[in-house]
Amino acid sequence: MVFGGETVILMGPPASGKGTQAVSLAKEKGFVHISTGDLLRENVRQQTEIGKQVKEFMDAGKLVPEALVIELLKKRLEQDDAKTGVVLDGFPRTLTQAEELEKLLQSKPIVVSLEVPDEELIKRSTGRRSCSQCQQIYHIYFNPPKQEGICDQCQGALIHRSDDTEVVVKERLNVYREHTAPVLNYYRKQGVLHTIDGNRPPKVILEDIQSLLNL
Ligand code: AMP
């Protein structure tokens, strides 16, 4: 398959805010938000064959086998609602994935990398909660829901991801530096990478991303 829609790739270490930005941006642009992490977690929840294969990797903060994620992404891109454009969140995470994605895309992606200091990432992730229904993201101190444990938007139950503990987040940061940082260089060389200070209020970051996309 060849994907002909617009592609925005949001990159950044765990808890850099890429999920929050991806949801808002997709809504604004009328694009589909594709998070490989969400797709994988859904498989784990439903105890599918894929879910059973990936659970251990995810709980340990490791990358899941490449072929499997690429296949999941391809299937999602093929769906009708993705035709106009997509915001990718959590993919690509390795050079191989970036190369595979390039084969699928008709035109060059726009890549946005959110930069946030490590101490801040750990603080953010341990307090992070997400809606089990609509994936809206909250933080117990910085952005709490009106009612504890309940999503403001859809009343779904809020969950704390099993990989958002300090030990696992540190491992995810190591994985990011080792496997995902080279992907940033790959896009920098292609002239499609934009880095953004992610240590600011989400609304301000979103405005910056929107102005980038309108260039
Ligand atoms: P995320 O929700 O993006 O933080 O992803 C959660 C976890 O899902 C990661 O720590 C990995 O175990 C797995 N995962 C998500 N996307 C990928 C990917 N593109 N390649 C490999 N593993 C992934």
Side-chain angles (χ1 to χ4, degrees):
M1 65 105 38
V2 174
F3 180 70
E6 274 188 66
T7 308
V8 180
I9 301 174
L10 280 183
M11 297 195 56
S16 57
K18 61 183 169 13
T20 303
Q21 295 299 332
V23 169
S24 309
L25 196 65
K27 220 185 264 171
E28 289 280 325
K29 301 274 294 177
F31 287 1
V32 167
H33 168 217
I34 304 181
S35 152
T36 43
D38 284 348
L39 292 175
L40 291 165
R41 277 186 289 279
E42 187 54 29
N43 275 276
V44 172
R45 240 186 325 266
Q46 305 220 352
Q47 300 185 340
T48 63
E49 258 329 294
I50 291 179
K52 286 178 200 156
Q53 285 179 50
V54 300
K55 187 176 183 323
E56 247 179 71
F57 293 95
M58 294 177 77
D59 284 346
K62 307 272 186 208
L63 295 180
V64 314
E66 204 122 75
L68 215 145
V69 195
I70 293 168
E71 210 36 52
L72 268 183
L73 180 85
K74 274 190 195 164
K75 282 211 182 112
R76 187 63 190 88
L77 285 177
E78 276 167 7
Q79 286 173 23
D80 260 0
D81 60 349
K83 269 199 181 110
T84 326
V86 292
V87 181
L88 298 185
D89 157 13
F91 190 98
R93 260 179 156 95
T94 64
L95 278 176
T96 309
Q97 291 179 17
E99 284 158 7
E100 284 300 315
L101 180 64
E102 193 166 337
K103 290 185 208 157
L104 297 175
L105 302 184
Q106 211 163 51
S107 49
K108 285 205 167 186
I110 296 176
V111 184
V112 177
S113 166
L114 297 177
E115 312 217 311
V116 180
D118 282 8
E119 321 81 73
E120 178 67 22
L121 294 171
I122 292 168
K123 250 193 277 168
R124 283 188 189 183
S125 52
T126 47
R128 177 160 67 173
R129 301 291 181 272
S130 54
C131 175
S132 53
Q133 306 282 328
C134 73
Q135 327 306 335
Q136 181 69 34
I137 298 162
Y138 298 86
H139 189 282
I140 51 173
Y141 303 123
F142 309 141
N143 176 30
K146 291 194 183 89
Q147 206 182 334
E148 195 185 322
I150 310 274
C151 177
D152 293 348
Q153 299 203 351
C154 75
Q155 273 65 56
L158 300 187
I159 50 168
H160 185 206
R161 280 170 49 172
S162 53
D163 59 353
D164 267 347
T165 59
E166 186 163 343
V167 174
V168 181
V169 171
K170 284 185 172 158
E171 176 57 22
R172 288 163 64 204
L173 276 171
N174 289 337
V175 168
Y176 185 80
R177 279 195 207 98
E178 189 182 344
H179 299 280
T180 312
V183 180
L184 294 178
N185 268 334
Y186 174 87
Y187 287 129
R188 191 173 287 119
K189 279 188 203 142
Q190 294 191 2
V192 295
L193 178 73
H194 305 267
T195 51
I196 286 202
D197 175 5
N199 206 11
R200 295 174 301 160
K203 202 170 156 274
V204 180
I205 299 173
L206 182 63
E207 283 165 8
D208 266 11
I209 300 178
Q210 282 168 325
S211 39
L212 268 180
L213 297 188
N214 293 330
L215 284 180

